[in-house]
Amino acid sequence: MPPMSEPDGNKQTGSLPQGKDEPFPSGFIRLKNTLSASDLVVRCGDASFDVHKAVIYPQSTFFAAQDHAYTLITSSSSTSASRSVVVLQDDIPTTVERLLSYLYTGEYGDDAAAHHSPFFACRTKVASLGQWRHDTMLLHANMYAAGDRYGVLPLKAAAEAKFKAITKQSWPFQEFHIIVARVYASTPKEDRGLRDVIFQLCVDHLEEVSAGPCWKQMMADHAAVALGVELVPKVVEMKDKEIRDLKERLRGGSADRPNKKQKTELERS
C-alpha cells in the first residue's frame, strides 16, 4: 500500500484523495477483503466488521479518537495478534455497514430495495415506486447523519446530493412527515444541509403541503413540527397573496362568486 505522506516537506496529514475527479484508492478496495491484515473490529448489534485502521482512522474523526478502545487478543497455534475493538451501541448494523463500505470504496449501497455490500447482504422487497422513494430518502438521511456523527464530511456531502436528487421527482412523497421527522431528529438545528433541502421542497409545493394531511401530520410530530414552525411565515404569505388576488379579481369582475371558505377568509382580512 503506498505511503500516506509525500517525501518532501509538504506532508499529507492523513487526508485521502476523495476529490470529484480523482478515483478512490484501488488499494483500499483490495484491502477490505484482506481480513488477515485487519487490526480493528467494529461491532454494532449482532454484526461484527473486520477493518483496517490505516483506512478508517484518517477519514473519520470519530474512529481516529478511539485509540483508547479495548483490545481483543486473537491467537492460533503459530501466532497471536491484538486488534482494537470499537462497539457502537447507538446505531444500526446496516448504517454502520454502509459507512464502512464508503470508507473503503467511496460509495455506499443506496438501493433500499436490494442492498448488497462488501460485508453482508440485506434485501427488502419494495411494494411500489413511492415506497422505494420513501425508503431511499430515509436511507440517505441516515447516511447524512452518520457522516456527521462519525466525522466523515465527504459522506455527508454525498448523502445530501443523493437526497436532493430524489426531491426533484414529482410530488407527493409518501409519508413525507416521517422523512421530515428523521431529518430533524437526527441532525443538530444548526446543521442546515438536509433541513434546507426539505424546507425548499416544501416551499416549492407549499399549497399541497399546507392543504393536505401532510401539514397535520408534521404538526403532530415532535421532531417534524420544527419544520412546520419554519414554514408558518411562508404559509401566511401565501394565504395573504391568495386573498389579495381574490380581491383584485372581484374588483375587476373577473372572479367567480367566492365559495364559503373564501368568504370567511375575506371577512377575516
Side-chain angles (χ1 to χ4, degrees), residues 6-170:
E6 298 293 336
D8 59 18
N10 298 323
K11 293 195 174 181
Q12 312 234 346
T13 57
S15 61
L16 298 173
Q18 294 185 25
K20 184 169 63 173
D21 299 323
E22 300 178 34
F24 206 80
S26 59
F28 290 176
I29 300 174
R30 293 193 300 270
L31 187 61
K32 69 178 170 55
N33 295 318
T34 312
L35 299 184
S36 60
S38 168
D39 54 3
L40 177 64
V41 180
V42 178
R43 290 178 177 170
C44 181
D46 295 330
S48 182
F49 307 100
D50 300 297
V51 294
H52 308 82
K53 293 180 182 179
V55 175
I56 304 301
Y57 280 15
Q59 301 183 82
S60 166
T61 57
F62 172 87
F63 284 104
Q66 301 304 307
D67 279 339
H68 61 276
Y70 72 86
T71 300
L72 172 71
I73 305 296
T74 58
S75 63
S76 65
S77 58
S78 60
T79 185
S80 64
S82 63
R83 295 192 292 171
S84 298
V85 178
V86 176
V87 179
L88 306 177
Q89 298 178 337
D90 300 324
D91 219 322
I92 56 177
T94 50
T95 297
V96 175
E97 170 203 10
R98 288 184 172 99
L99 165 73
L100 296 174
S101 180
Y102 178 85
L103 294 178
Y104 277 91
T105 67
E107 292 290 341
Y108 64 85
D110 59 359
D111 186 351
H115 171 56
H116 181 78
S117 86
F119 294 102
F120 63 79
C122 175
R123 288 181 168 80
T124 306
K125 280 193 173 182
V126 175
S128 66
L129 177 60
Q131 185 65 50
W132 171 87
R133 188 165 58 179
H134 169 85
D135 292 347
T136 305
M137 290 180 77
L138 288 179
L139 186 160
H140 295 319
N142 284 342
M143 295 314 300
Y144 182 92
D148 181 71
R149 187 162 57 251
Y150 296 109
V152 185
L153 297 185
L155 174 58
K156 284 186 69 175
E160 181 179 342
K162 291 173 182 287
F163 185 94
K164 188 173 184 179
I166 297 179
T167 67
K168 301 300 183 184
Q169 299 178 20
S170 60

Side-chain angles (χ1 to χ4, degrees), residues 176-228:
F176 184 65
H177 67 288
I178 295 178
I179 297 170
V180 173
R182 180 68 56 86
V183 168
Y184 274 72
S186 62
T187 57
K189 63 181 180 180
E190 64 272 11
D191 187 334
R192 297 301 308 180
L194 291 191
R195 293 184 181 216
D196 282 345
V197 175
I198 287 283
F199 180 82
Q200 188 57 52
L201 176 63
C202 288
V203 170
D204 292 343
H205 299 277
L206 194 57
E207 186 172 352
E208 297 98 319
V209 171
S210 61
C214 179
W215 182 262
K216 291 182 180 179
Q217 292 166 336
M218 282 197 302
M219 298 305 283
D221 188 288
H222 74 281
V225 71
L227 174 61

